[in-house]
Amino acid sequence: MALDQSFVGRTYPPTEPYEVGREKIREFAEAVGDANPAYTDTEAARALGHPDVIAPPTFVFAITFKAAGQVVADPQLGLDYSRVVHGDQKFVYNRPVRAGDRLTVTSTIETIRTMAGNDILDIRGEVHDQNGEHVVTAWTKLVARAAEEA
């Protein structure tokens, strides 16, 4: 059954703050194989004009995807998560994520559409720091595969 179009535009409450730590940034950079010293060396980051180490661009995915969980878990939406695959991801930054940031995410359903029986859901996550500064917008596309016919 197709998802309810009336959910387009629905915004969910901001998440609890996520504190970005140097060690988490280092672990993430190592996991993705990015040796950029700005991710692990405070002095290298400062030489580039940052107050502390910065995170690789895809670091924020973990935070925004968790926030999108509010949408996924909304019983009124009726999304069958057992059929969901991650379709796409995109980020538009105002500034890099930095160690010491306390980030919150507000998720909004941007579009819902059905193609070939699959429900496609686009969720926009607006990420702000502890001062209310907009840091990044992330778009997550989820595809709920059509149920197989018996």
Side-chain angles (χ1 to χ4, degrees):
M1 185 160 118
L3 296 176
D4 186 346
Q5 289 290 320
S6 72
F7 278 75
V8 172
R10 183 172 289 195
T11 298
Y12 292 78
T15 60
E16 290 296 314
Y18 174 90
E19 188 162 347
V20 179
R22 285 188 192 112
E23 185 64 12
K24 286 290 185 187
I25 292 172
R26 185 193 61 74
E27 289 170 351
F28 187 87
E30 285 180 4
V32 298
D34 194 331
N36 184 332
Y39 304 151
T40 57
D41 181 338
T42 305
E43 292 311 312
R46 286 187 178 139
L48 294 171
H50 305 291
D52 206 329
V53 295
I54 59 171
T58 55
F59 177 86
V60 77
F61 172 76
I63 303 164
T64 58
F65 193 73
K66 184 176 180 181
Q70 293 179 81
V71 177
V72 169
D74 186 336
Q76 294 177 347
L77 178 61
L79 182 66
D80 180 358
Y81 193 70
S82 71
R83 305 201 63 78
V84 170
V85 295
H86 184 237
D88 193 18
Q89 190 70 49
K90 149 174 111 164
F91 306 99
V92 175
Y93 276 86
N94 282 341
R95 68 160 175 83
V97 169
R98 306 173 188 138
D101 278 341
R102 291 179 45 82
L103 303 176
T104 58
V105 183
T106 303
S107 297
T108 301
I109 298 174
E110 278 205 334
T111 63
I112 297 173
R113 55 193 185 287
T114 302
M115 290 177 28
N118 300 311
D119 286 320
I120 303 167
L121 182 67
D122 291 304
I123 303 167
R124 184 182 74 244
E126 298 290 349
V127 180
H128 291 85
D129 70 9
Q130 63 277 5
N131 299 315
E133 178 186 356
H134 181 256
V135 177
V136 59
T137 301
W139 286 268
T140 301
K141 184 181 301 294
L142 300 177
V143 180
R145 296 170 289 118
E148 296 173 10
E149 294 185 27

